[in-house]
Amino acid sequence: MMPAVFDQTTIEVLAAGKDQREYLFRATGSVPKFDGFRKVYEESKDQKDEEDEELKHKLPVVAEGRR
């Protein structure tokens, strides 16, 4: 079976603070592009896990320099 394919997006923000220090903030998310084997196979779960929470926080597609 074919593997699942995901689009991964990383957003990095470099900001300067009032104290003249630089701070880097990074957020990463992935969105399924092709289900592959996941279309017919689902792992059973007894309880919610971290992956379920992550699915709620996907990042949109963005372009460099977008504000």
Side-chain angles (χ1 to χ4, degrees):
M1 297 186 106
M2 297 296 293
V5 177
F6 295 87
D7 276 341
Q8 185 171 355
T9 303
T10 300
I11 298 173
E12 293 183 342
V13 177
L14 183 61
K18 292 181 181 180
D19 56 2
Q20 303 302 319
R21 296 168 92 181
E22 289 188 341
Y23 298 92
L24 177 64
F25 298 94
R26 179 179 295 138
T28 303
S30 59
V31 178
K33 187 174 181 180
F34 174 70
D35 287 335
F37 73 92
R38 293 172 34 146
K39 189 76 167 178
V40 295
Y41 175 78
E42 183 176 325
E43 187 175 342
S44 64
K45 298 179 185 178
D46 292 334
Q47 60 186 14
K48 277 187 144 184
D49 62 9
E50 192 174 303
E51 185 178 322
D52 292 336
E53 187 65 26
E54 288 176 4
L55 290 175
K56 296 178 186 176
H57 304 288
K58 298 177 188 176
L59 294 174
V61 177
V62 295
E64 184 176 341
R66 187 172 175 187
R67 297 176 187 247

Short mmCIF file of all heavy atoms in Angstrom, two decimals:
data_model
loop_
_atom_site.label_atom_id
_atom_site.label_comp_id
_atom_site.label_asym_id
_atom_site.label_seq_id
_atom_site.Cartn_x
_atom_site.Cartn_y
_atom_site.Cartn_z
N MET A 1 0.84 -1.18 0.00
CA MET A 1 0.00 0.00 0.00
C MET A 1 0.88 1.24 0.00
O MET A 1 1.99 1.24 0.52
CB MET A 1 -0.91 0.01 1.22
CG MET A 1 -1.89 -1.14 1.26
SD MET A 1 -3.02 -0.94 2.62
CE MET A 1 -4.45 -0.48 1.69
N MET A 2 0.36 2.29 -0.52
CA MET A 2 1.09 3.55 -0.60
C MET A 2 1.11 4.23 0.78
O MET A 2 0.14 4.14 1.53
CB MET A 2 0.43 4.50 -1.60
CG MET A 2 0.44 3.96 -3.03
SD MET A 2 2.09 3.78 -3.69
CE MET A 2 2.60 5.47 -3.78
N PRO A 3 2.20 4.91 1.10
CA PRO A 3 2.27 5.63 2.38
C PRO A 3 1.41 6.90 2.34
O PRO A 3 1.10 7.43 1.27
CB PRO A 3 3.75 5.99 2.51
CG PRO A 3 4.26 6.02 1.11
CD PRO A 3 3.44 5.00 0.35
N ALA A 4 1.05 7.36 3.51
CA ALA A 4 0.33 8.62 3.62
C ALA A 4 1.30 9.76 3.31
O ALA A 4 2.49 9.66 3.57
CB ALA A 4 -0.25 8.78 5.02
N VAL A 5 0.77 10.85 2.75
CA VAL A 5 1.59 12.01 2.42
C VAL A 5 0.99 13.22 3.13
O VAL A 5 -0.23 13.42 3.12
CB VAL A 5 1.62 12.25 0.89
CG1 VAL A 5 2.40 13.49 0.54
CG2 VAL A 5 2.19 11.04 0.16
N PHE A 6 1.86 14.04 3.72
CA PHE A 6 1.42 15.21 4.47
C PHE A 6 2.12 16.46 3.95
O PHE A 6 3.28 16.40 3.55
CB PHE A 6 1.75 15.07 5.96
CG PHE A 6 1.02 13.95 6.62
CD1 PHE A 6 1.54 12.67 6.61
CD2 PHE A 6 -0.18 14.18 7.25
CE1 PHE A 6 0.87 11.63 7.22
CE2 PHE A 6 -0.85 13.14 7.88
CZ PHE A 6 -0.33 11.86 7.85
N ASP A 7 1.43 17.59 3.94
CA ASP A 7 2.05 18.90 3.72
C ASP A 7 2.40 19.44 5.09
O ASP A 7 1.54 19.56 5.96
CB ASP A 7 1.08 19.88 3.04
CG ASP A 7 1.04 19.72 1.53
OD1 ASP A 7 1.99 19.14 0.98
OD2 ASP A 7 0.07 20.18 0.92
N GLN A 8 3.68 19.76 5.27
CA GLN A 8 4.12 20.29 6.56
C GLN A 8 4.43 21.78 6.39
O GLN A 8 5.10 22.18 5.44
CB GLN A 8 5.36 19.57 7.07
CG GLN A 8 5.77 20.03 8.43
CD GLN A 8 6.87 19.16 9.04
OE1 GLN A 8 7.26 18.16 8.46
NE2 GLN A 8 7.33 19.55 10.18
N THR A 9 3.92 22.58 7.31
CA THR A 9 4.13 24.03 7.28
C THR A 9 4.83 24.45 8.56
O THR A 9 4.43 24.05 9.65
CB THR A 9 2.78 24.77 7.18
OG1 THR A 9 2.09 24.32 6.02
CG2 THR A 9 2.99 26.27 7.09
N THR A 10 5.90 25.24 8.41
CA THR A 10 6.59 25.80 9.56
C THR A 10 6.61 27.30 9.41
O THR A 10 6.95 27.83 8.35
CB THR A 10 8.04 25.28 9.65
OG1 THR A 10 8.01 23.86 9.77
CG2 THR A 10 8.76 25.88 10.84
N ILE A 11 6.21 27.99 10.45
CA ILE A 11 6.22 29.45 10.45
C ILE A 11 7.22 29.90 11.50
O ILE A 11 7.17 29.46 12.65
CB ILE A 11 4.82 30.01 10.79
CG1 ILE A 11 3.82 29.58 9.71
CG2 ILE A 11 4.87 31.53 10.91
CD1 ILE A 11 2.40 29.94 10.03
N GLU A 12 8.15 30.75 11.08
CA GLU A 12 9.14 31.29 12.01
C GLU A 12 9.01 32.80 12.05
O GLU A 12 8.89 33.45 11.01
CB GLU A 12 10.56 30.92 11.57
CG GLU A 12 10.84 29.44 11.66
CD GLU A 12 12.26 29.09 11.29
OE1 GLU A 12 12.94 29.90 10.63
OE2 GLU A 12 12.70 27.98 11.65
N VAL A 13 9.03 33.32 13.25
CA VAL A 13 8.93 34.76 13.45
C VAL A 13 10.13 35.18 14.29
O VAL A 13 10.33 34.69 15.39
CB VAL A 13 7.62 35.15 14.17
CG1 VAL A 13 7.58 36.64 14.45
CG2 VAL A 13 6.41 34.70 13.38
N LEU A 14 10.93 36.10 13.76
CA LEU A 14 12.07 36.65 14.48
C LEU A 14 11.65 38.04 14.95
O LEU A 14 11.31 38.89 14.14
CB LEU A 14 13.30 36.73 13.58
CG LEU A 14 14.58 37.21 14.24
CD1 LEU A 14 14.98 36.28 15.36
CD2 LEU A 14 15.69 37.29 13.20
N ALA A 15 11.66 38.23 16.24
CA ALA A 15 11.20 39.50 16.80
C ALA A 15 12.27 40.08 17.72
O ALA A 15 12.97 39.35 18.42
CB ALA A 15 9.91 39.28 17.59
N ALA A 16 12.38 41.39 17.71
CA ALA A 16 13.31 42.09 18.60
C ALA A 16 12.53 42.63 19.79
O ALA A 16 11.48 43.26 19.63
CB ALA A 16 14.00 43.23 17.87
N GLY A 17 13.04 42.37 20.96
CA GLY A 17 12.40 42.85 22.17
C GLY A 17 12.88 44.23 22.56
O GLY A 17 13.82 44.78 21.97
N LYS A 18 12.23 44.82 23.54
CA LYS A 18 12.63 46.15 24.02
C LYS A 18 14.01 46.13 24.63
O LYS A 18 14.69 47.14 24.71
CB LYS A 18 11.62 46.65 25.05
CG LYS A 18 10.27 46.96 24.46
CD LYS A 18 9.32 47.48 25.52
CE LYS A 18 7.96 47.75 24.92
NZ LYS A 18 7.03 48.27 25.92
N ASP A 19 14.45 44.93 25.07
CA ASP A 19 15.76 44.80 25.69
C ASP A 19 16.88 44.55 24.66
O ASP A 19 17.97 44.13 25.02
CB ASP A 19 15.74 43.68 26.72
CG ASP A 19 15.28 42.36 26.12
OD1 ASP A 19 15.03 42.30 24.90
OD2 ASP A 19 15.19 41.38 26.88
N GLN A 20 16.59 44.77 23.37
CA GLN A 20 17.53 44.60 22.27
C GLN A 20 17.92 43.14 22.02
O GLN A 20 18.86 42.87 21.30
CB GLN A 20 18.80 45.45 22.49
CG GLN A 20 18.55 46.93 22.67
CD GLN A 20 17.79 47.53 21.48
OE1 GLN A 20 18.07 47.22 20.34
NE2 GLN A 20 16.84 48.39 21.76
N ARG A 21 17.22 42.20 22.61
CA ARG A 21 17.46 40.79 22.36
C ARG A 21 16.53 40.32 21.24
O ARG A 21 15.44 40.85 21.08
CB ARG A 21 17.20 39.98 23.61
CG ARG A 21 18.14 40.33 24.74
CD ARG A 21 17.69 39.74 26.02
NE ARG A 21 18.31 38.43 26.22
CZ ARG A 21 18.07 37.67 27.27
NH1 ARG A 21 17.22 38.05 28.20
NH2 ARG A 21 18.67 36.52 27.41
N GLU A 22 16.98 39.32 20.49
CA GLU A 22 16.14 38.75 19.44
C GLU A 22 15.51 37.46 19.94
O GLU A 22 16.14 36.68 20.65
CB GLU A 22 16.96 38.47 18.18
CG GLU A 22 17.37 39.73 17.46
CD GLU A 22 18.02 39.42 16.12
OE1 GLU A 22 18.46 38.27 15.91
OE2 GLU A 22 18.08 40.33 15.30
N TYR A 23 14.26 37.24 19.55
CA TYR A 23 13.52 36.06 19.95
C TYR A 23 12.98 35.38 18.70
O TYR A 23 12.44 36.04 17.81
CB TYR A 23 12.35 36.43 20.87
CG TYR A 23 12.82 37.07 22.16
CD1 TYR A 23 12.94 38.46 22.26
CD2 TYR A 23 13.15 36.29 23.25
CE1 TYR A 23 13.38 39.05 23.43
CE2 TYR A 23 13.58 36.87 24.43
CZ TYR A 23 13.70 38.24 24.52
OH TYR A 23 14.14 38.82 25.68
N LEU A 24 13.14 34.06 18.63
CA LEU A 24 12.64 33.29 17.50
C LEU A 24 11.47 32.45 17.98
O LEU A 24 11.59 31.67 18.93
CB LEU A 24 13.73 32.37 16.94
CG LEU A 24 13.30 31.45 15.80
CD1 LEU A 24 12.90 32.27 14.58
CD2 LEU A 24 14.42 30.48 15.46
N PHE A 25 10.34 32.60 17.31
CA PHE A 25 9.15 31.82 17.61
C PHE A 25 8.89 30.91 16.41
O PHE A 25 8.97 31.35 15.27
CB PHE A 25 7.93 32.73 17.83
CG PHE A 25 8.10 33.66 19.00
CD1 PHE A 25 8.59 34.94 18.82
CD2 PHE A 25 7.76 33.24 20.28
CE1 PHE A 25 8.76 35.79 19.89
CE2 PHE A 25 7.92 34.09 21.36
CZ PHE A 25 8.42 35.37 21.17
N ARG A 26 8.57 29.65 16.69
CA ARG A 26 8.37 28.69 15.60
C ARG A 26 7.11 27.86 15.88
O ARG A 26 6.91 27.38 17.00
CB ARG A 26 9.57 27.76 15.49
CG ARG A 26 9.44 26.72 14.39
CD ARG A 26 10.66 25.84 14.29
NE ARG A 26 11.80 26.65 13.89
CZ ARG A 26 13.01 26.53 14.42
NH1 ARG A 26 13.25 25.65 15.36
NH2 ARG A 26 13.98 27.32 14.00
N ALA A 27 6.29 27.68 14.85
CA ALA A 27 5.11 26.82 14.93
C ALA A 27 5.14 25.90 13.72
O ALA A 27 5.44 26.34 12.60
CB ALA A 27 3.84 27.66 14.93
N THR A 28 4.83 24.63 13.93
CA THR A 28 4.85 23.65 12.86
C THR A 28 3.55 22.85 12.89
O THR A 28 3.07 22.49 13.95
CB THR A 28 6.04 22.68 13.01
OG1 THR A 28 7.24 23.44 13.06
CG2 THR A 28 6.12 21.71 11.86
N GLY A 29 3.00 22.59 11.72
CA GLY A 29 1.79 21.78 11.62
C GLY A 29 1.81 20.99 10.33
O GLY A 29 2.57 21.30 9.41
N SER A 30 1.00 19.95 10.25
CA SER A 30 0.91 19.18 9.03
C SER A 30 -0.54 18.88 8.70
O SER A 30 -1.37 18.73 9.59
CB SER A 30 1.71 17.88 9.15
OG SER A 30 1.24 17.10 10.22
N VAL A 31 -0.80 18.82 7.40
CA VAL A 31 -2.14 18.59 6.89
C VAL A 31 -2.07 17.40 5.94
O VAL A 31 -1.19 17.36 5.08
CB VAL A 31 -2.66 19.83 6.14
CG1 VAL A 31 -4.04 19.59 5.56
CG2 VAL A 31 -2.66 21.04 7.04
N PRO A 32 -2.96 16.40 6.09
CA PRO A 32 -2.91 15.25 5.18
C PRO A 32 -3.18 15.68 3.74
O PRO A 32 -4.11 16.44 3.47
CB PRO A 32 -4.01 14.33 5.69
CG PRO A 32 -4.63 14.97 6.85
CD PRO A 32 -4.01 16.29 7.08
N LYS A 33 -2.35 15.19 2.83
CA LYS A 33 -2.50 15.48 1.40
C LYS A 33 -3.03 14.25 0.67
O LYS A 33 -3.79 14.36 -0.27
CB LYS A 33 -1.15 15.91 0.83
CG LYS A 33 -1.19 16.39 -0.57
CD LYS A 33 0.16 16.92 -0.99
CE LYS A 33 0.11 17.44 -2.41
NZ LYS A 33 1.41 17.94 -2.84
N PHE A 34 -2.58 13.06 1.11
CA PHE A 34 -3.01 11.80 0.52
C PHE A 34 -3.08 10.78 1.65
O PHE A 34 -2.12 10.58 2.39
CB PHE A 34 -2.00 11.36 -0.55
CG PHE A 34 -2.27 10.00 -1.13
CD1 PHE A 34 -3.36 9.79 -1.96
CD2 PHE A 34 -1.44 8.93 -0.85
CE1 PHE A 34 -3.61 8.53 -2.49
CE2 PHE A 34 -1.67 7.67 -1.37
CZ PHE A 34 -2.76 7.48 -2.20
N ASP A 35 -4.23 10.12 1.82
CA ASP A 35 -4.45 9.20 2.94
C ASP A 35 -3.61 7.93 2.86
O ASP A 35 -3.25 7.37 3.88
CB ASP A 35 -5.92 8.82 3.05
CG ASP A 35 -6.77 9.95 3.58
OD1 ASP A 35 -6.22 10.83 4.28
OD2 ASP A 35 -7.98 9.96 3.30
N GLY A 36 -3.33 7.45 1.66
CA GLY A 36 -2.55 6.23 1.51
C GLY A 36 -3.16 5.08 2.31
O GLY A 36 -4.37 4.89 2.31
N PHE A 37 -2.32 4.32 3.02
CA PHE A 37 -2.79 3.17 3.78
C PHE A 37 -3.75 3.55 4.89
O PHE A 37 -4.55 2.71 5.35
CB PHE A 37 -1.60 2.40 4.38
CG PHE A 37 -0.94 3.11 5.53
CD1 PHE A 37 -1.33 2.87 6.83
CD2 PHE A 37 0.08 4.02 5.30
CE1 PHE A 37 -0.73 3.53 7.88
CE2 PHE A 37 0.69 4.67 6.34
CZ PHE A 37 0.29 4.44 7.64
N ARG A 38 -3.71 4.81 5.32
CA ARG A 38 -4.59 5.24 6.41
C ARG A 38 -6.06 5.20 6.02
O ARG A 38 -6.95 5.22 6.86
CB ARG A 38 -4.22 6.65 6.86
CG ARG A 38 -2.86 6.72 7.50
CD ARG A 38 -2.42 8.13 7.77
NE ARG A 38 -3.55 8.99 8.10
CZ ARG A 38 -3.52 9.99 8.94
NH1 ARG A 38 -2.39 10.31 9.52
NH2 ARG A 38 -4.57 10.72 9.18
N LYS A 39 -6.33 5.13 4.71
CA LYS A 39 -7.71 5.07 4.21
C LYS A 39 -8.40 3.78 4.68
O LYS A 39 -9.60 3.78 4.94
CB LYS A 39 -7.70 5.14 2.68
CG LYS A 39 -9.04 5.30 2.05
CD LYS A 39 -9.51 6.71 2.20
CE LYS A 39 -10.69 6.98 1.31
NZ LYS A 39 -11.20 8.32 1.47
N VAL A 40 -7.64 2.69 4.79
CA VAL A 40 -8.23 1.41 5.18
C VAL A 40 -7.78 0.93 6.55
O VAL A 40 -8.31 -0.05 7.07
CB VAL A 40 -7.91 0.31 4.13
CG1 VAL A 40 -8.55 0.64 2.81
CG2 VAL A 40 -6.42 0.12 3.97
N TYR A 41 -6.78 1.57 7.14
CA TYR A 41 -6.25 1.12 8.42
C TYR A 41 -6.36 2.23 9.45
O TYR A 41 -5.90 3.34 9.23
CB TYR A 41 -4.77 0.74 8.27
CG TYR A 41 -4.10 0.38 9.58
CD1 TYR A 41 -4.30 -0.85 10.17
CD2 TYR A 41 -3.28 1.29 10.22
CE1 TYR A 41 -3.69 -1.18 11.36
CE2 TYR A 41 -2.66 0.97 11.42
CZ TYR A 41 -2.87 -0.26 11.98
OH TYR A 41 -2.28 -0.57 13.17
N GLU A 42 -6.99 1.90 10.57
CA GLU A 42 -7.09 2.87 11.65
C GLU A 42 -6.67 2.19 12.95
O GLU A 42 -7.24 1.17 13.32
CB GLU A 42 -8.52 3.41 11.77
CG GLU A 42 -8.65 4.47 12.83
CD GLU A 42 -10.04 5.06 12.87
OE1 GLU A 42 -10.68 5.18 11.81
OE2 GLU A 42 -10.50 5.36 13.98
N GLU A 43 -5.67 2.75 13.59
CA GLU A 43 -5.20 2.19 14.84
C GLU A 43 -6.24 2.46 15.92
O GLU A 43 -6.75 3.56 16.07
CB GLU A 43 -3.88 2.86 15.22
CG GLU A 43 -3.21 2.25 16.40
CD GLU A 43 -1.85 2.87 16.66
OE1 GLU A 43 -1.29 3.50 15.76
OE2 GLU A 43 -1.37 2.72 17.79
N SER A 44 -6.57 1.43 16.69
CA SER A 44 -7.56 1.61 17.76
C SER A 44 -6.91 2.32 18.94
O SER A 44 -5.73 2.16 19.22
CB SER A 44 -8.13 0.27 18.20
OG SER A 44 -7.12 -0.53 18.76
N LYS A 45 -7.71 3.11 19.64
CA LYS A 45 -7.23 3.88 20.78
C LYS A 45 -8.19 3.70 21.94
O LYS A 45 -9.40 3.71 21.77
CB LYS A 45 -7.14 5.37 20.44
CG LYS A 45 -6.18 5.68 19.33
CD LYS A 45 -6.17 7.17 19.03
CE LYS A 45 -5.29 7.46 17.84
NZ LYS A 45 -5.28 8.85 17.49
N ASP A 46 -7.63 3.55 23.12
CA ASP A 46 -8.45 3.44 24.32
C ASP A 46 -8.79 4.81 24.89
O ASP A 46 -9.77 4.98 25.58
CB ASP A 46 -7.73 2.62 25.39
CG ASP A 46 -7.59 1.16 24.99
OD1 ASP A 46 -8.43 0.70 24.18
OD2 ASP A 46 -6.66 0.50 25.46
N GLN A 47 -7.95 5.79 24.61
CA GLN A 47 -8.17 7.12 25.15
C GLN A 47 -7.62 8.16 24.18
O GLN A 47 -6.87 7.84 23.28
CB GLN A 47 -7.49 7.27 26.50
CG GLN A 47 -5.98 7.06 26.45
CD GLN A 47 -5.35 7.08 27.83
OE1 GLN A 47 -6.05 6.99 28.82
NE2 GLN A 47 -4.05 7.22 27.88
N LYS A 48 -8.01 9.41 24.38
CA LYS A 48 -7.47 10.50 23.58
C LYS A 48 -5.98 10.62 23.85
O LYS A 48 -5.54 10.45 24.97
CB LYS A 48 -8.13 11.83 23.93
CG LYS A 48 -9.43 12.07 23.26
CD LYS A 48 -9.88 13.47 23.55
CE LYS A 48 -10.57 14.05 22.36
NZ LYS A 48 -10.94 15.43 22.56
N ASP A 49 -5.24 10.92 22.83
CA ASP A 49 -3.82 11.12 23.04
C ASP A 49 -3.37 12.45 22.46
O ASP A 49 -4.18 13.23 21.97
CB ASP A 49 -2.99 9.96 22.49
CG ASP A 49 -3.13 9.79 20.99
OD1 ASP A 49 -3.73 10.66 20.33
OD2 ASP A 49 -2.62 8.80 20.46
N GLU A 50 -2.08 12.67 22.52
CA GLU A 50 -1.52 13.94 22.07
C GLU A 50 -1.81 14.20 20.59
O GLU A 50 -2.04 15.33 20.19
CB GLU A 50 -0.01 13.91 22.31
CG GLU A 50 0.67 15.24 22.17
CD GLU A 50 2.14 15.16 22.56
OE1 GLU A 50 2.45 14.76 23.69
OE2 GLU A 50 2.95 15.49 21.69
N GLU A 51 -1.83 13.16 19.77
CA GLU A 51 -2.07 13.32 18.33
C GLU A 51 -3.45 13.90 18.07
O GLU A 51 -3.63 14.73 17.18
CB GLU A 51 -1.91 11.99 17.62
CG GLU A 51 -2.02 12.10 16.11
CD GLU A 51 -1.82 10.78 15.41
OE1 GLU A 51 -0.96 10.00 15.86
OE2 GLU A 51 -2.52 10.53 14.44
N ASP A 52 -4.46 13.47 18.83
CA ASP A 52 -5.81 14.02 18.67
C ASP A 52 -5.81 15.52 18.91
O ASP A 52 -6.48 16.27 18.19
CB ASP A 52 -6.78 13.35 19.63
CG ASP A 52 -7.04 11.89 19.30
OD1 ASP A 52 -6.85 11.52 18.13
OD2 ASP A 52 -7.41 11.14 20.21
N GLU A 53 -5.10 15.97 19.91
CA GLU A 53 -5.03 17.39 20.23
C GLU A 53 -4.31 18.15 19.12
O GLU A 53 -4.71 19.24 18.74
CB GLU A 53 -4.32 17.60 21.57
CG GLU A 53 -4.35 19.03 22.06
CD GLU A 53 -5.75 19.53 22.37
OE1 GLU A 53 -6.64 18.74 22.70
OE2 GLU A 53 -5.95 20.76 22.28
N GLU A 54 -3.26 17.56 18.56
CA GLU A 54 -2.50 18.22 17.50
C GLU A 54 -3.34 18.40 16.25
O GLU A 54 -3.17 19.37 15.52
CB GLU A 54 -1.25 17.41 17.16
CG GLU A 54 -0.19 17.48 18.24
CD GLU A 54 1.00 16.59 17.92
OE1 GLU A 54 1.03 15.99 16.84
OE2 GLU A 54 1.89 16.51 18.77
N LEU A 55 -4.26 17.49 15.97
CA LEU A 55 -5.09 17.60 14.77
C LEU A 55 -5.98 18.84 14.80
O LEU A 55 -6.41 19.34 13.77
CB LEU A 55 -5.94 16.35 14.58
CG LEU A 55 -5.16 15.09 14.19
CD1 LEU A 55 -6.10 13.89 14.17
CD2 LEU A 55 -4.47 15.26 12.86
N LYS A 56 -6.26 19.36 15.98
CA LYS A 56 -7.08 20.56 16.11
C LYS A 56 -6.30 21.83 15.79
O LYS A 56 -6.87 22.87 15.60
CB LYS A 56 -7.62 20.66 17.54
CG LYS A 56 -8.55 19.56 17.93
CD LYS A 56 -8.98 19.75 19.37
CE LYS A 56 -9.80 18.59 19.86
NZ LYS A 56 -10.13 18.74 21.28
N HIS A 57 -4.96 21.74 15.76
CA HIS A 57 -4.11 22.91 15.62
C HIS A 57 -3.28 22.86 14.35
O HIS A 57 -2.06 22.91 14.40
CB HIS A 57 -3.20 23.05 16.85
CG HIS A 57 -3.96 23.09 18.13
ND1 HIS A 57 -4.71 24.17 18.51
CD2 HIS A 57 -4.11 22.18 19.10
CE1 HIS A 57 -5.27 23.92 19.66
NE2 HIS A 57 -4.94 22.71 20.04
N LYS A 58 -3.92 22.77 13.21
CA LYS A 58 -3.21 22.76 11.94
C LYS A 58 -2.89 24.18 11.53
O LYS A 58 -3.63 25.10 11.85
CB LYS A 58 -4.08 22.10 10.87
CG LYS A 58 -4.41 20.68 11.16
CD LYS A 58 -5.32 20.14 10.10
CE LYS A 58 -5.83 18.79 10.46
NZ LYS A 58 -6.79 18.28 9.49
N LEU A 59 -1.82 24.35 10.81
CA LEU A 59 -1.46 25.67 10.30
C LEU A 59 -1.92 25.80 8.86
O LEU A 59 -1.85 24.85 8.09
CB LEU A 59 0.06 25.86 10.35
CG LEU A 59 0.67 25.91 11.74
CD1 LEU A 59 2.18 25.95 11.63
CD2 LEU A 59 0.18 27.10 12.50
N PRO A 60 -2.37 26.97 8.46
CA PRO A 60 -2.78 27.17 7.07
C PRO A 60 -1.55 27.31 6.17
O PRO A 60 -0.45 27.53 6.64
CB PRO A 60 -3.54 28.50 7.13
CG PRO A 60 -2.91 29.22 8.26
CD PRO A 60 -2.56 28.16 9.27
N VAL A 61 -1.78 27.20 4.88
CA VAL A 61 -0.71 27.43 3.91
C VAL A 61 -0.44 28.92 3.90
O VAL A 61 -1.36 29.73 3.81
CB VAL A 61 -1.13 26.96 2.52
CG1 VAL A 61 -0.07 27.26 1.49
CG2 VAL A 61 -1.45 25.48 2.54
N VAL A 62 0.83 29.31 4.02
CA VAL A 62 1.20 30.73 4.03
C VAL A 62 2.35 30.96 3.07
O VAL A 62 3.09 30.05 2.74
CB VAL A 62 1.61 31.21 5.45
CG1 VAL A 62 0.44 31.14 6.39
CG2 VAL A 62 2.76 30.40 5.97
N ALA A 63 2.53 32.20 2.65
CA ALA A 63 3.62 32.59 1.76
C ALA A 63 4.66 33.36 2.56
O ALA A 63 4.32 34.06 3.52
CB ALA A 63 3.09 33.45 0.61
N GLU A 64 5.92 33.24 2.16
CA GLU A 64 7.00 33.96 2.84
C GLU A 64 6.75 35.46 2.78
O GLU A 64 6.32 35.99 1.76
CB GLU A 64 8.34 33.64 2.19
CG GLU A 64 9.51 34.27 2.89
CD GLU A 64 10.83 33.87 2.27
OE1 GLU A 64 10.87 32.86 1.56
OE2 GLU A 64 11.80 34.57 2.53
N GLY A 65 6.98 36.12 3.87
CA GLY A 65 6.79 37.57 3.94
C GLY A 65 5.36 37.97 4.24
O GLY A 65 5.07 39.15 4.40
N ARG A 66 4.47 37.02 4.31
CA ARG A 66 3.07 37.34 4.60
C ARG A 66 2.95 37.80 6.03
O ARG A 66 3.54 37.27 6.94
CB ARG A 66 2.22 36.08 4.38
CG ARG A 66 0.76 36.35 4.49
CD ARG A 66 -0.01 35.13 4.07
NE ARG A 66 -1.41 35.37 4.30
CZ ARG A 66 -2.32 34.46 4.15
NH1 ARG A 66 -2.00 33.24 3.77
NH2 ARG A 66 -3.59 34.74 4.36
N ARG A 67 2.15 38.82 6.26
CA ARG A 67 1.96 39.37 7.60
C ARG A 67 0.55 39.24 8.04
O ARG A 67 -0.36 39.21 7.34
CB ARG A 67 2.37 40.84 7.62
CG ARG A 67 3.82 40.98 7.31
CD ARG A 67 4.18 42.45 7.23
NE ARG A 67 5.52 42.59 6.78
CZ ARG A 67 6.52 43.05 7.52
NH1 ARG A 67 6.30 43.42 8.74
NH2 ARG A 67 7.71 43.14 7.04
#
